[in-house]
């Protein structure tokens, strides 16, 4: 039994304009940091339309396909771009998350980390934004509910930005409890604690700029009882590492030890009701050294419980 690392070299084929923070080197930094770890290495396979259609309409897929450039870049919004390799990389990211769910549900791995880009938690039903095209973790949650027949899935997003896309895609989903901790004020500006979903299954916890690991722990300790009461059969993580003190896009003050702490808490939760099943998907993290060190600390912690 083991921790699976799901990835694909085509993560590097998703190009962004020079100087963009969501750069190819992010993937290399993560993979280099995980090099030599005793992981079950799995090559991601592309998600088909059926998986994407769990959260996005056909006309959205058609629109992205039509916008995909043959060379150079196509700009979708202020931050979000397509290169010729982007859609394949994004489908591999979704496919990897779905594979992670399948592996832990089959008992072939205890838990899994999906190291792919682009990230996914800002993509809404018909709106790409914030470097994201498909709602990777929300699609994985829907796959667990619809394909595996689970009744309760938790999605915990500790990226420094609010997971507005995941919230949008799971707004009406009573079988998924979505918990997001994020800095506020900060882009995208959503994620107030008053945003609770159609079935009161969305929990937003905002942290002011400058919040350190103690503030994170206090916020999470406030929502862990809610997660325990929900008794998820699977725990999904939107693992963004941009709450790190060194990150250039935000102003929180977490360090590697804080990512270890939150990972351990979520693994405890998973052991209580989910047979230990955790699937974690890479989201943000834009300081390459902090990203590598934080991802390595997170995955090493996943391995402790495997
Ligand atoms: Zn982020």
């Amino acid at each position: 039994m083991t921790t699976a690392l799901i990835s694909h070299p085509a993560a590097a084929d998703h190009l962004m304009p020079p100087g963009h923070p969501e750069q190819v080197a992010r993937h290399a930094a993560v993979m280099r940091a995980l090099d030599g770890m005793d992981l079950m290495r799995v090559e991601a396979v592309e998600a088909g339309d059926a998986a994407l259609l769990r959260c996005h309409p056909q006309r959205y897929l058609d629109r992205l396909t039509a916008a995909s450039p043959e060379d150079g870049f196509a700009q979708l919004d202020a931050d979000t771009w397509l290169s010729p390799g982007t859609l394949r990389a994004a489908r591999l990211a979704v496919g990897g998350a779905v594979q992670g769910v399948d592996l832990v549900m089959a008992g072939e791995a205890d838990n899994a980390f999906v190291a792919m880009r682009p990230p996914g938690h800002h993509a809404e039903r018909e709106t790409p934004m914030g470097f994201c095209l498909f709602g990777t973790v929300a699609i994985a949650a829907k796959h667990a509910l619809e394909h595996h027949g689970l009744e309760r899935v938790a999605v915990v997003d500790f990226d420094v930005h609010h997971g507005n896309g995941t919230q949008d895609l799971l707004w009406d989903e009573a079988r998924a409890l979505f918990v997001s901790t994020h800095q506020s004020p900060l882009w995208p500006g959503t994620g107030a604690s008053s945003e609770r979903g159609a079935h009161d299954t969305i929990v937003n916890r905002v942290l002011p700029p400058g919040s350190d690991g103690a503030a994170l722990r206090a916020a999470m300790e406030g929502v862990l009882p809610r997660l325990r009461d929900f008794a998820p059969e699977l725990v999904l993580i939107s693992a963004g590492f941009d709450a790190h003190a060194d990150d250039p896009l935000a102003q929180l003050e977490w360090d590697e030890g804080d990512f270890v702490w939150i990972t351990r808490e979520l693994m405890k939760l998973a052991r209580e009701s989910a047979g230990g099943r955790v699937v974690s998907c890479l989201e943000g993290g834009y300081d390459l050294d902090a990203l590598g060190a934080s991802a390595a600390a997170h995955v090493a912690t996943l391995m402790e419980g495997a």
Side-chain angles (χ1 to χ4, degrees):
M1 302 299 280
T2 189
T3 295
L5 170 63
I6 305 170
S7 190
H8 194 286
D13 295 338
H14 164 47
L15 308 179
M16 293 290 250
H20 195 291
E22 210 289 273
Q23 55 183 305
V24 170
R26 296 181 62 243
H27 184 249
V30 169
M31 296 307 284
R32 199 164 47 242
L34 304 181
D35 200 27
M37 286 189 178
D38 184 20
L39 296 158
M40 176 201 286
R41 288 166 193 269
V42 179
E43 187 155 281
V45 296
E46 282 185 57
D49 285 357
L52 302 177
L53 289 168
R54 292 194 191 280
C55 285
H56 303 284
Q58 183 66 51
R59 62 176 173 270
Y60 177 67
L61 308 189
D62 294 343
R63 190 180 131 212
L64 289 180
T65 302
S68 182
E70 301 220 342
D71 51 45
F73 298 101
Q75 186 169 14
L76 299 176
D77 77 355
D79 310 305
T80 313
W81 302 70
L82 295 176
S83 72
T86 296
L87 289 182
R88 177 162 181 252
R91 280 182 182 262
L92 286 163
V94 174
V98 168
Q99 283 167 270
V101 171
D102 290 344
L103 283 171
V104 301
M105 290 307 302
E108 293 175 38
D110 296 286
N111 52 43
F113 181 65
V114 184
M116 285 298 297
R117 54 183 286 279
H121 72 149
H122 295 306
E124 298 186 343
R125 191 168 160 74
E126 295 194 58
T127 309
M129 58 188 279
F131 325 154
C132 302
L133 301 167
F134 301 129
T136 302
V137 80
I139 293 169
K142 291 282 191 183
H143 174 76
L145 295 167
E146 304 294 342
H147 179 75
H148 292 283
L150 296 189
E151 295 176 352
R152 293 174 311 282
V153 174
V155 180
V156 178
D157 184 330
F158 59 70
D159 188 281
V160 78
H161 301 96
H162 177 233
N164 63 291
T166 308
Q167 173 169 297
D168 178 55
L169 298 171
L170 297 179
W171 186 263
D172 296 323
E173 179 51 82
R175 299 169 296 175
L177 180 64
F178 175 56
V179 173
S180 178
T181 59
H182 43 273
Q183 179 182 321
S184 179
L186 186 66
W187 189 95
T190 49
S193 57
S194 57
E195 297 166 24
R196 297 169 61 170
H199 305 284
D200 199 19
T201 51
I202 289 173
V203 180
N204 285 305
R205 287 292 176 267
V206 300
L207 298 163
S211 295
D212 60 8
L216 160 70
R217 290 169 205 221
M220 275 308 294
E221 279 164 358
V223 297
L224 282 165
R226 177 76 192 279
L227 282 159
R228 293 211 166 83
D229 285 349
F230 186 72
E233 300 163 288
L234 171 70
V235 176
L236 300 175
I237 302 176
S238 264
F241 299 103
D242 41 9
H244 193 284
D246 293 343
D247 197 274
L249 296 195
Q251 293 81 41
L252 295 194
E253 301 290 337
W254 302 5
D255 61 21
E256 289 85 340
D258 297 312
F259 293 111
V260 168
W261 179 84
I262 197 167
T263 306
R264 282 205 182 115
E265 291 299 316
L266 296 177
M267 291 171 69
K268 268 189 241 168
L269 168 73
R271 275 198 294 276
E272 286 173 19
S273 61
R277 292 183 288 268
V278 174
V279 178
S280 175
C281 300
L282 178 65
E283 300 281 4
Y286 302 98
D287 178 88
L288 296 179
D289 290 340
L291 171 63
S294 301
H298 175 62
V299 172
T301 307
L302 290 175
M303 293 170 72
E304 287 173 6

